[in-house]
Short mmCIF file of all heavy atoms in Angstrom, two decimals:
data_model
loop_
_atom_site.label_atom_id
_atom_site.label_comp_id
_atom_site.label_asym_id
_atom_site.label_seq_id
_atom_site.Cartn_x
_atom_site.Cartn_y
_atom_site.Cartn_z
N ALA A 4 0.62 24.40 21.94
CA ALA A 4 0.12 23.04 21.98
C ALA A 4 1.26 22.04 21.87
O ALA A 4 2.26 22.30 21.20
CB ALA A 4 -0.88 22.83 20.85
N ALA A 130 -20.05 -16.60 -21.45
CA ALA A 130 -21.41 -16.94 -21.03
C ALA A 130 -21.92 -16.07 -19.90
O ALA A 130 -23.14 -15.99 -19.68
CB ALA A 130 -21.46 -18.42 -20.63
N PRO A 135 -28.37 -15.12 -15.17
CA PRO A 135 -29.05 -14.22 -14.23
C PRO A 135 -28.14 -13.86 -13.05
O PRO A 135 -27.36 -14.69 -12.58
CB PRO A 135 -30.27 -15.03 -13.75
CG PRO A 135 -30.16 -16.37 -14.35
CD PRO A 135 -29.01 -16.41 -15.30
N LEU A 150 -16.08 -13.72 -8.26
CA LEU A 150 -15.51 -14.02 -9.56
C LEU A 150 -15.59 -15.51 -9.88
O LEU A 150 -15.87 -15.89 -11.03
CB LEU A 150 -14.05 -13.56 -9.60
CG LEU A 150 -13.82 -12.05 -9.53
CD1 LEU A 150 -12.33 -11.75 -9.48
CD2 LEU A 150 -14.46 -11.34 -10.71
N ALA A 186 -15.76 0.88 -7.36
CA ALA A 186 -16.53 1.27 -8.54
C ALA A 186 -17.33 0.09 -9.08
O ALA A 186 -18.44 0.27 -9.61
CB ALA A 186 -15.60 1.82 -9.62
N VAL A 420 -13.80 -8.74 3.63
CA VAL A 420 -15.23 -8.44 3.55
C VAL A 420 -15.64 -7.66 4.79
O VAL A 420 -15.28 -8.02 5.92
CB VAL A 420 -16.05 -9.74 3.43
CG1 VAL A 420 -17.55 -9.45 3.49
CG2 VAL A 420 -15.69 -10.48 2.14
#
Side-chain angles (χ1 to χ4, degrees):
L150 293 176
V420 174

